[in-house]
């Protein structure tokens, strides 16, 4: 079992930056793939980024590539999402997820989910 708690969301102007954190507890954090998804009102949950168990491999959605960076600190049981050059279309609830297999962008592959943190980008 893995429990996930996100933090770091908020209101930011277009072009600004935010760093999200996801603290994990429970099962051995360092053995799981971690990912960020996002969901805007009326939209389906959308993959943002994923990172493998040791941070050696990452995978990004085309819409955030070059602007967002996912990283993890296994000593702190935490995964991060650094978001730069934010756009109004990045506005969504950002949700942390975990699963025991490899990098994947499909939400149904992820077994554990956090509650999410709201990110709002004003124009």
């Amino acid at each position: 079992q893995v429990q996930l708690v996100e933090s770091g969301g908020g209101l930011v102007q277009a072009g600004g930056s935010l760093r999200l954190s996801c603290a994990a507890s429970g099962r051995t954090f360092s053995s799981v793939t971690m990912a960020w998804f996002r969901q805007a009102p009326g939209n389906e949950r959308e993959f943002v980024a994923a990172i493998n168990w040791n941070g050696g491999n990452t995978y990004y959605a085309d819409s955030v590539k070059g602007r967002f960076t996912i990283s993890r600190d296994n000593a702190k049981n935490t995964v991060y999402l650094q978001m730069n050059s934010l756009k109004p279309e990045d506005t969504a609830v950002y949700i942390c997820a975990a699963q025991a297999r490899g990098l994947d962008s499909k939400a149904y592959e992820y077994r554990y989910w956090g509650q999410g943190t709201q990110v709002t980008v004003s124009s």
Side-chain angles (χ1 to χ4, degrees), residues 1 4 6 19 28 34 46 50 54 60 66 68 73 75 89 91 97 114:
Q1 193 78 4
L4 304 172
E6 302 93 337
R19 188 176 84 153
T28 304
M34 300 296 299
E46 175 190 16
N54 67 354
Y60 295 93
F68 291 10
D73 185 339
E89 51 262 44
T91 295

Side-chain angles (χ1 to χ4, degrees), residues 29-45:
F29 173 77
S30 60
S31 67
V32 297
T33 291
M34 300 296 299
W36 288 95
F37 288 77
R38 65 187 182 186
Q39 189 164 18
N43 290 359
E44 293 186 353
R45 192 163 292 188

Side-chain angles (χ1 to χ4, degrees), residues 12-17 67 83-88 90 121-123:
V12 63
Q13 288 188 332
S17 298
R67 299 188 298 123
M83 305 186 295
N84 298 330
S85 302
L86 282 161
K87 305 174 182 179
D90 294 318
V121 184
S122 63
S123 56

Side-chain angles (χ1 to χ4, degrees), residues 103-114:
L103 294 178
D104 207 296
S105 63
K106 297 180 287 294
Y108 64 77
E109 292 289 347
Y110 288 81
R111 180 174 181 181
Y112 305 105
W113 294 87

Side-chain angles (χ1 to χ4, degrees), residues 16-72:
S17 298
L18 279 175
R19 188 176 84 153
L20 306 183
S21 299
C22 173
S25 61
R27 179 184 169 159
T28 304
F29 173 77
S30 60
S31 67
V32 297
T33 291
M34 300 296 299
W36 288 95
F37 288 77
R38 65 187 182 186
Q39 189 164 18
N43 290 359
E44 293 186 353
R45 192 163 292 188
E46 175 190 16
F47 171 75
V48 175
I51 188 166
N52 76 326
W53 67 277
N54 67 354
N57 286 301
T58 56
Y59 179 32
Y60 295 93
D62 288 343
S63 59
V64 306
K65 204 172 292 183
R67 299 188 298 123
F68 291 10
T69 302
I70 189 171
S71 62
R72 66 190 296 162

